[in-house]
Amino acid sequence: MTVSRRLVLTGAVAAGLLAACGAPAPDTRPLALVYRGKASTGACSDAVADLLRTRMRVEFCGPDEKTPLTAAALATAAVYAQPGGGSLDDGWRAMRRYADVITGYVRGGGRYLGFCLGGYLAGATPGFTLLPGDTEQYIGTSGAEVRSTRDTVIPVDWQGKRRRMYFQDGPDFVLRSGAQATVLARYTNDKIAALVTPYGKGRVGVVGPHPEAPESWYRDLRLTNPDGVTPDLGLELVDRTLTP
């Protein structure tokens, strides 16, 4: 028996012993990095992480996390996710220092997912300028379903089907004429609520409402979603962003 053959058998025996002892197998799925810091809330970061865990292994990154938000860290990730948070101005103050790192990652082939504030930050005024256009505050647009910044549930047309989604002062997305983008959802006034678009060699997926919202968000604020609380819309956004 050769040394290499002996090592293979030894490794197989060790793996078998670990399995027999109930030790978990290593998670070899692609890595998702989820931002957690001043430009997000803990609840938003946790909700995005929970959504992504159904597809990938997840680590939090940010100024106070074990994994820093650096080019080296992003190079190990299949996708970077920017969750919801507070105001755009405050979010940009916290994230401006990372703009070149994030845009360079996506331009080189990385994936960016932006939820609510993360969608705003994908725009240009201010933001990472990852979109072929910009963002605006949906509640200020003509014919908007809701006018206040309170947490609520609103209808959107997702791929031609009416669905209700958790919403709190999210953006809509304004595309330049002829821009290359796939619109996944529109608000009831026809403004864009979710889209996927290329950026350099990478892809960007953004959404104004919160398809990642868990049951606890609805329960805590005594909100009801007539369609039920399911992750399918959030997962479609993830899959469309990850797959060319």
Side-chain angles (χ1 to χ4, degrees), residues 77-236:
V79 63
Y80 167 77
Q82 187 79 45
S87 72
L88 175 56
D89 288 342
D90 288 344
W92 178 240
R93 276 193 289 271
M95 297 304 300
R96 180 169 47 196
R97 74 187 74 175
Y98 304 113
D100 290 343
V101 169
I102 292 170
T103 55
Y105 161 72
V106 183
R107 188 183 301 113
R111 302 311 199 245
Y112 176 98
L113 279 168
F115 299 80
C116 196
L117 177 58
Y120 276 117
L121 287 168
T125 55
F128 305 130
T129 317
L130 293 172
L131 302 174
D134 206 351
T135 67
E136 60 183 357
Q137 189 179 28
Y138 169 67
I139 64 173
T141 61
S142 177
E145 184 78 20
V146 60
R147 291 293 185 184
S148 79
T149 60
R150 72 181 187 278
D151 298 72
T152 188
V153 178
I154 64 169
V156 300
D157 291 320
W158 190 286
Q159 296 285 279
K161 184 177 181 180
R162 182 60 56 93
R163 295 289 297 270
R164 276 82 171 178
M165 300 177 70
Y166 193 104
F167 179 84
Q168 196 276 314
D169 197 19
D172 67 270
F173 305 98
V174 182
L175 297 175
R176 293 192 298 267
S177 177
Q180 183 181 355
T182 299
V183 175
L184 298 179
R186 292 184 181 272
Y187 296 103
T188 54
N189 65 354
D190 207 41
K191 294 291 186 178
I192 299 173
L195 65 82
V196 177
T197 185
Y199 181 85
K201 296 179 181 178
R203 287 173 69 81
V204 176
V206 289
V207 60
H210 286 276
E212 81 284 11
E215 177 65 41
S216 61
W217 289 17
Y218 292 88
R219 183 177 63 250
D220 292 348
L221 291 167
R222 298 182 179 180
L223 296 172
T224 300
N225 189 329
D227 299 327
V229 181
T230 62
D232 60 308
L233 302 183
L235 291 176
E236 182 176 359

Side-chain angles (χ1 to χ4, degrees), residues 40-51:
S40 70
T41 66
C44 287
S45 293
D46 289 344
V48 170
D50 286 343
L51 178 73

